[in-house]
């Protein structure tokens, strides 16, 4: 796709993953031309801006996911006694331990909800002469195999972290 500003001397599309998000335009004084260095700089800027605009959308999605994790925590705490009954019946735990597992699951949701917006996408230093970079984007669907004896804690631990990374999780427990 193309971005054209009819009043500019030159335009560059701002894109991400093939989607046109906008553009950058340059207008010079009459008689001046766009130098190759300016063109290269603005092309790089347009490419970086595409990722920045895409990450802005991701940040809004992240805020919604954090709110959902907090709501999940509240729902788990409100249903802790019922969940403890189910856990005790399902895996044969004492009721007190099963209730502690429900509270632990809620605490995992709280922890990962609080950690979700702390991922800064920083790249660790790497060997000279190599390129290393970090893309902050969801990985899609995650799968979780949940052991029979600690389902609530493992769900809190694994689904909580997957949700904080804006992934979708599917759990399975086989006995």
């Amino acid at each position: 796709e193309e971005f054209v500003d009819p009043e500019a001397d030159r335009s560059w599309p701002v894109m991400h993953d093939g989607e046109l998000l906008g553009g950058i335009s340059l207008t010079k004084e009459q008689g001046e031309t766009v130098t190759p260095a300016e063109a290269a700089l603005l092309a790089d800027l347009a490419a970086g801006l595409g990722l920045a605009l895409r990450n802005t959308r991701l940040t809004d999605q992240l805020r919604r996911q954090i709110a959902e994790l907090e709501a999940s925590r509240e729902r788990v705490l409100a249903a802790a006694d019922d969940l403890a009954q189910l856990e005790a019946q399902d895996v044969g735990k004492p009721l007190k331990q099963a209730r502690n597992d429900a509270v632990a699951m809620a605490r995992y949701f709280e922890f990962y909800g609080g950690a979700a917006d702390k991922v800064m996408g920083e790249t660790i230093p790497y060997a000279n002469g190599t390129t290393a970079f970090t893309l902050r984007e969801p990985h899609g669907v995650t799968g979780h195999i949940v052991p029979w004896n600690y389902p609530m804690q493992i769900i809190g631990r694994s689904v909580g972290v997957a949700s904080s990374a804006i992934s979708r999780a599917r759990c399975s427990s086989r006995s």
Side-chain angles (χ1 to χ4, degrees), residues 39-102:
L41 176 67
L42 288 165
D44 287 346
L45 182 60
L49 201 53
L51 184 59
L53 287 172
R54 199 269 181 203
N55 282 343
T56 300
R57 290 187 201 157
L58 187 59
T59 301
D60 290 338
Q61 189 179 4
L62 182 60
R63 284 190 195 101
R64 288 191 301 274
Q65 200 68 18
I66 291 168
E68 180 55 37
L69 278 169
E70 179 60 28
S72 295
R73 175 190 170 274
E74 294 298 325
R75 287 190 299 270
V76 167
L77 288 176
D81 291 332
D82 292 336
L83 289 169
Q85 286 287 339
L86 290 171
E87 181 94 339
Q89 291 170 2
D90 185 39
V91 301
K93 286 185 180 184
L95 198 54
K96 182 177 180 182
Q97 185 180 358
R99 190 174 196 299
N100 288 342
D101 286 354

Side-chain angles (χ1 to χ4, degrees), residues 95-141:
L95 198 54
K96 182 177 180 182
Q97 185 180 358
R99 190 174 196 299
N100 288 342
D101 286 354
V103 171
M105 180 170 60
R107 290 181 65 207
Y108 283 120
F109 287 153
E110 178 182 21
F111 174 80
Y112 289 119
D117 62 352
K118 310 303 185 285
V119 177
M120 300 302 168
E122 296 168 353
T123 301
I124 60 172
Y126 202 65
N128 288 334
T130 60
T131 301
F133 63 95
T134 301
L135 291 177
R136 187 176 160 196
E137 55 188 25
H139 290 285
V141 176

